[in-house]
Amino acid sequence: MRTLLRNRVASAFAALFVAIVVLCLLAPVYAKDIAHTGPNTNHITETVSVGGKRVDVVSPQGVPIGPTWKARFLLGADSNGRDVAVRLLYGGRNSLEIAAIATLITMLLAIVLGTLAGYTRGLTDGVLSRLFDLVWAYPAVLLGVALGVALAVGGLDLGLFTLHSGSLLLPAFVIGIVCFPYVAKPLRAEALSLREREFVDAARAMGVSPARVMVEEILPNLASTIVVFVPLMVANAILLEAALSYLGAGVQSPNPSWGTMLADGIRLIPGAIHLVLVPGLMLVLCVLSVNVCADAVRDALDPKSTVRGRL
Amino acid sequence: MGGHKVHGVLRAAIAGSLAIVLVMGIAACGSSSTSSGTGTATVLMGTPPDSLDPGLGATTQSYEATWLAYTGLVTYAHAEGEAGTKLIAGLAQTLPTVTNGGKTYTFTLRKGLVYSNGAPVKASDFTHAIERAIKLGWTNKSFLTENIVGAEAFDSGKASSISGILTNNATGKIAIQLVAPYGPFLNVLAFPAAGLVPGGTPMKSLANEPPPGVGPYEIQSVVPNKSFAMVRNPHWSEEAIPGIPAGHVNVNVKIVSNNQTEAEQVLDNSADVFDYNDTIPPTLLTQVESQAKERYAKEPTVSGEYFFLNTKEAPFSNPLAREAVTYALNRQALQRLDSGMLDPACFFLPAGMPGHPSGKCPYGEPTAEPNIAKAKELVRQAGLQGTPVTVWGGSRAPHKEFVDYYASMLNAIGFKASEKIVADAQYYQTIGNISNKVQTGWLSYSQDFPNPIDFYQLLDAKSISPQENHNQSQVDDPHIQSELAALGPVPSSQLSTVVGRWQALDEYTAKKAYMAVFGYDEVPKFFSNKINFKAAVFHPVYGNDWSTLELK
């Protein structure tokens, strides 16, 4: 931790990430008390005062107003006359929420299946490794789009639980499934190596059950790898969510996410460039800050690293 | 010296002669390109035609080209507005005699007709053209198979030819027997798919090398998905068919899939015609309206934009809920979402379609402020506050934006709305599946032909089917059914006699609020400054009429 804190760049980016998260969590407060409008409220035919003049929120040609730097429409409006700043914060909330849940699903699946495959070897490893290969073989975005589109209309009904088509859990589930082999494969490789170590042999010789060996001997030794993977997977999930939502297979309309905001704004380039610049910038800052933190964590946990603390 | 003088005179004479020849040449060239407006125009298309074979093509991009190269027995007048919906005799001498209670149509071919390759036209070629369209699988072939006697049997392979078409090459007589009277049958015959092609034309797609036809143009140099040329038919002047002009210019059609690039090319005059099917990007539209206003106009089309309201599913099974929606619709907001290319309206039949009512809208004028308070009151009165409503919509702009607005409005008047956005390619198939129990959603409909029965299939109880349902509101209204039974068989050529009755029916439909109508589409007529803008006809059925393009 001390090593991490000594890395000033990483600390700055960590602070930036925390600031983004806090701002996004405060979205309802901003919407209610500052902008006085909701994320999905349309103001298409309304006007707003800019520089003492009444200006259409959306022009008769369909071009929305740019940043007004006032409480309402601080960062402008979108083509439906919705406040971009409000949608940006709500969109961030959705994007981060999905990224967090997706990362949780990814890590859980990867830890359980990767450790099981690496420790047990034999048939179980063969079956699980082919499963990893199968998911790995598909480009992540394509697989995500295929799953997302298929589930977007009817939702997901697995008997035990049901995810409705508009649920944010749906893209989180899709991303979690698509990404888990990227972590499971290295964890399997590490578990495969760990199972041959003396302390594991000793535990087995003492008659400890395989499940307990995995939990008590293998898993703690995978911790540093898992810790390094978590921020990387968060960044990856944020990007994948944005890509899926951009392609209509992630967050469903009218809920905002940075990806859907990019998709909504793209047709209005160059006249209303704020519609893509604003969510694009937030996406870049968020992913960059998580990636820098991930690098710093990796460096801090890697005893061979020579660039530790010099970022 | 003398020799030198002679040479000088000779040089002067040669120079003078050359100068005269040059001046005459320039004058000649100038006159041919300016006085008659000939030359070549470059037309851009955002989406390539589905096929340039008349027996297959069924998209607006295809019809825009093929109706000028494959004239049928009847066709439309080359005019703007309602005048352009008028059916005129094409290759037939006159409009047909309709006998046998509307079941027999008899035509006589004009004499001396020739195809663009010089071959003579025969009456039996009509049968071949119809059989070819059916065999090739023209998308709208059901108009032929469901109406012409023996066409269904021919399609299924039970018959080798269509028994309901009788032709006589010697007299040029063509008699068509219908299964039952079908009012818009003449409109069906005006499709380019019913345009005549030579009898020996192979029964296979000739999209890349379209067959000869009879019309002011012939289609040449097809490069699939890239370009094709419309070249003036050298034999057309011999035909002299009244009402069908010869083209002034040859047309090079180029496919440009990016709307922004397409609009920029026409704006900077490097191309001549913008595809009316495409949208000028909103951010460029302001520039076009200010910099090119003398060569840009919004043209009305006979196509409507609606939110269907399923009368078989709650909450729209309740008339009050439907009325609430029509009261609350902010059509001006929807107009802005469509980049201003929407004429706000309330009646189901679009303006320009015979039967479009002239009366007042029953739930507030479309240009007035929406009555949200009244709508809320109706929802409360019906006890439907908080009823969940799923709004369905297509994914492309502005369809998704329409639905975003609509869901927001439904929430504002008391429902609890959520959205389901489906890729446009699968949209109609998805909402047409009755098992999906769609409550409401966006719907757009463009005319197949200028006859109100075409639109009313969307409200005809006979159109309700478990799959590919066309009646999204699932309307089964006895009054509408009895009126359709009476008005449907009236031939298009006699439509003017029943216009009042169609208007009354459409006013009734508006009162029932079976559809929340929000407007009629407008499209851009946008040309380069090289084209004579005023002379160019925007046809109500086929869009930009290339045969009326003239270079300045």
Side-chain angles (χ1 to χ4, degrees):
Chain A
M1 193 61 189
R2 209 175 304 146
T3 318
L4 267 177
L5 290 174
R6 275 212 304 271
N7 186 336
R8 280 186 221 151
V9 176
S11 301
F13 274 100
L16 174 66
F17 181 68
V18 171
I20 291 172
V21 172
V22 170
L23 274 174
C24 292
L25 290 176
L26 289 173
V29 178
Y30 178 81
K32 192 178 170 213
D33 298 327
I34 300 173
H36 305 290
T37 181
N40 302 328
T41 313
N42 288 230
H43 301 278
I44 306 165
T45 47
E46 293 175 22
T47 57
V48 64
S49 174
V50 179
K53 282 198 297 188
R54 298 305 295 177
V55 182
D56 286 326
V57 173
V58 178
S59 78
Q61 290 82 15
V63 182
I65 193 170
T68 61
W69 310 117
K70 293 182 170 183
R72 172 76 73 92
F73 301 119
L74 175 78
L75 298 175
D78 70 2
S79 54
N80 278 68
R82 296 174 293 203
D83 190 311
V84 168
V86 172
R87 282 179 73 76
L88 187 77
L89 296 184
Y90 271 97
R93 251 164 76 110
N94 290 341
S95 296
L96 293 169
E97 193 179 316
I98 290 168
I101 298 169
T103 304
L104 194 68
I105 295 171
T106 295
M107 297 312 293
L108 274 176
L109 282 174
I111 290 167
V112 172
L113 299 180
T115 311
L116 193 67
Y119 181 76
T120 54
R121 300 196 301 189
L123 182 66
T124 312
D125 180 34
V127 172
L128 288 175
S129 292
R130 295 301 76 76
L131 175 71
F132 301 161
D133 291 339
L134 193 71
V135 181
W136 184 294
Y138 282 96
V141 175
L142 271 187
L143 183 58
V145 168
L147 281 172
V149 168
L151 300 174
V153 173
L156 179 67
D157 187 2
L158 290 176
L160 287 174
F161 66 98
T162 304
L163 296 180
H164 295 291
S165 57
S167 167
L168 291 182
L169 289 176
L170 211 52
F173 174 79
V174 168
I175 295 167
I177 294 290
V178 165
C179 292
F180 88 88
Y182 292 83
V183 185
K185 279 174 86 88
L187 288 183
R188 172 197 165 267
E190 209 166 330
L192 209 56
S193 146
L194 284 169
R195 78 180 303 280
E196 306 301 335
R197 302 277 288 272
E198 294 81 356
F199 64 93
V200 178
D201 281 341
R204 273 198 296 254
M206 287 164 67
V208 178
S209 70
R212 238 178 106 186
V213 173
M214 278 189 273
V215 173
E216 291 182 359
E217 306 297 337
I218 305 283
L219 211 51
N221 285 285
L222 293 176
S224 58
T225 309
I226 292 168
V227 168
V228 170
F229 265 115
V230 167
L232 285 175
M233 283 298 109
V234 169
N236 192 47
I238 293 172
L239 280 179
L240 193 52
E241 180 281 318
L244 294 182
S245 297
Y246 181 85
L247 296 169
V251 173
Q252 294 301 301
S253 195
N255 290 327
S257 90
W258 293 336
T260 57
M261 289 179 75
L262 281 169
D264 291 345
I266 204 88
R267 79 185 176 102
L268 291 165
I269 287 177
I273 195 125
H274 66 282
L275 294 179
V276 288
L277 271 185
V278 170
L281 191 65
M282 281 296 269
L283 199 58
V284 168
L285 287 177
C286 193
V287 172
L288 185 67
S289 60
V290 177
N291 274 338
V292 170
C293 292
D295 277 353
V297 170
R298 190 199 60 206
D299 292 344
L301 292 172
D302 181 3
K304 293 176 195 158
S305 172
T306 52
V307 290
R308 199 178 347 157
R310 290 191 207 157
L311 268 169
Chain B
M1 271 298 271
H4 184 75
K5 198 176 178 179
V6 170
H7 281 298
V9 170
L10 196 61
R11 271 205 303 267
I14 292 168
S17 309
L18 278 173
I20 290 164
V21 167
L22 202 64
V23 167
M24 283 173 70
I26 290 169
C29 287
S31 65
S32 68
S33 73
T34 53
S35 67
S36 64
T38 57
T40 302
T42 304
V43 170
L44 303 181
M45 268 191 183
T47 309
D50 58 341
S51 175
L52 287 167
D53 185 321
L56 268 172
T59 59
T60 50
Q61 289 85 358
S62 172
Y63 291 151
E64 202 175 2
T66 53
W67 89 294
L68 299 175
Y70 301 96
T71 310
L73 297 175
V74 291
T75 187
Y76 294 104
H78 287 245
E80 294 196 329
E82 212 162 325
T85 65
K86 190 186 165 199
L87 286 159
I88 58 169
L91 303 192
Q93 287 176 355
T94 57
L95 288 177
T97 353
V98 184
T99 53
N100 190 20
K103 290 205 286 185
T104 305
Y105 285 67
T106 310
F107 298 89
T108 306
L109 268 186
R110 291 176 193 272
K111 298 217 183 306
L113 291 170
V114 290
Y115 288 105
S116 54
N117 64 355
V121 175
K122 292 183 285 184
S124 57
D125 294 347
F126 172 75
T127 316
H128 185 71
I130 298 296
E131 290 179 349
R132 198 169 169 271
I134 292 172
K135 272 285 176 257
L136 292 187
W138 178 47
T139 306
N140 297 321
K141 71 175 180 179
S142 60
F143 285 131
L144 304 169
T145 55
E146 287 172 7
N147 290 303
I148 302 174
V149 170
E152 188 81 65
F154 174 77
D155 189 27
S156 61
K158 288 178 191 158
S160 58
S161 65
I162 300 174
S163 58
I165 303 177
L166 301 171
T167 59
N168 184 327
N169 287 339
T171 60
K173 284 255 189 263
I174 298 169
I176 308 165
Q177 298 287 339
L178 301 191
V179 177
Y182 181 58
F185 187 66
L186 281 183
N187 300 104
V188 174
L189 293 184
F191 274 117
L196 273 66
V197 291
T201 306
M203 290 282 191
K204 63 174 188 180
S205 168
L206 296 174
N208 298 341
E209 216 172 320
V214 189
Y217 282 92
E218 55 182 326
I219 302 171
Q220 294 181 356
S221 314
V222 180
V223 182
N225 299 321
K226 284 195 173 170
S227 63
F228 62 94
M230 299 285 291
V231 180
R232 293 166 73 205
N233 177 358
H235 298 284
W236 183 249
S237 57
E238 299 157 29
E239 319 291 7
I241 296 178
I244 308 179
H248 300 283
V249 295
N250 289 334
V251 174
N252 282 340
V253 182
K254 288 183 182 169
I255 313 301
V256 178
S257 57
N258 184 308
N259 289 5
Q260 179 90 16
T261 312
E262 194 188 335
E264 281 169 354
Q265 284 188 14
V266 177
L267 187 62
D268 70 15
N269 302 305
S270 55
D272 298 311
V273 178
F274 182 84
D275 186 349
Y276 78 97
N277 293 293
D278 290 339
T279 311
I280 298 176
T283 52
L284 203 59
L285 189 57
T286 318
Q287 205 179 333
V288 169
E289 284 180 342
S290 61
Q291 290 177 15
K293 60 184 171 194
E294 74 291 346
R295 51 192 173 96
Y296 166 78
K298 284 184 202 172
E299 292 289 342
T301 63
V302 186
S303 59
E305 296 285 342
Y306 313 97
F307 293 120
F308 62 86
L309 303 162
N310 191 340
T311 57
K312 295 282 189 290
E313 296 283 340
F316 302 114
S317 48
N318 187 326
L320 294 179
R322 300 200 300 270
E323 282 176 29
V325 170
T326 52
Y327 270 119
L329 268 186
N330 185 341
R331 294 171 174 90
Q332 283 171 314
L334 289 154
Q335 185 185 35
R336 288 184 192 201
L337 291 177
D338 202 8
S339 308
M341 307 299 281
L342 188 83
D343 179 15
C346 71
F347 289 113
F348 178 62
L349 286 177
M353 173 62 81
H356 171 73
S358 51
K360 281 194 163 189
C361 294
Y363 304 109
E365 287 307 304
T367 48
E369 284 290 306
N371 195 342
I372 299 288
K374 175 81 178 168
K376 272 184 179 173
E377 170 58 25
L378 287 171
V379 173
R380 196 196 55 75
Q381 198 182 320
L384 293 168
Q385 286 154 308
T387 307
V389 176
T390 303
V391 184
W392 293 70
S395 58
R396 275 177 58 189
H399 311 156
K400 190 177 120 355
E401 283 75 6
F402 288 158
V403 170
D404 281 353
Y405 156 76
Y406 181 40
S408 166
M409 180 275 273
L410 289 176
N411 284 324
I413 63 173
F415 295 112
K416 193 180 168 197
S418 58
E419 296 179 21
K420 274 197 182 175
I421 303 294
V422 181
D424 278 57
Q426 282 91 43
Y427 179 64
Y428 284 106
Q429 195 186 346
T430 310
I431 62 167
N433 185 340
I434 282 198
S435 66
N436 283 331
K437 297 190 172 194
V438 291
Q439 292 166 293
T440 184
W442 161 79
L443 178 73
S444 178
Y445 192 77
S446 299
Q447 66 172 0
D448 288 312
F449 37 72
N451 187 312
I453 195 79
D454 181 38
F455 268 81
Y456 263 85
Q457 63 172 313
L458 301 183
L459 298 175
D460 185 347
K462 288 182 201 152
S463 304
I464 301 174
S465 64
Q467 304 282 336
E468 294 182 23
N469 174 36
H470 292 302
N471 182 344
Q472 309 298 352
S473 292
Q474 295 195 44
V475 176
D476 187 357
D477 184 312
H479 177 65
I480 292 182
Q481 292 312 116
S482 70
E483 284 299 277
L484 292 185
L487 296 169
V490 177
S492 291
S493 50
Q494 295 164 26
L495 209 52
S496 55
T497 60
V498 288
V499 159
R501 211 163 151 186
W502 274 112
Q503 286 176 328
L505 177 63
D506 210 42
E507 283 171 8
Y508 170 84
T509 300
K511 278 193 192 112
K512 289 279 180 182
Y514 289 133
M515 289 266 193
V517 182
F518 62 89
Y520 312 136
D521 289 314
E522 294 176 319
V523 292
K525 177 183 173 186
F526 178 35
F527 295 164
S528 75
N529 63 9
K530 293 181 225 159
I531 303 287
N532 185 345
F533 188 77
K534 284 184 181 162
V537 165
F538 186 85
H539 194 264
V541 183
Y542 294 125
N544 287 315
D545 182 348
W546 300 340
S547 68
T548 61
L549 293 180
E550 289 174 21
L551 296 178
K552 282 182 188 167

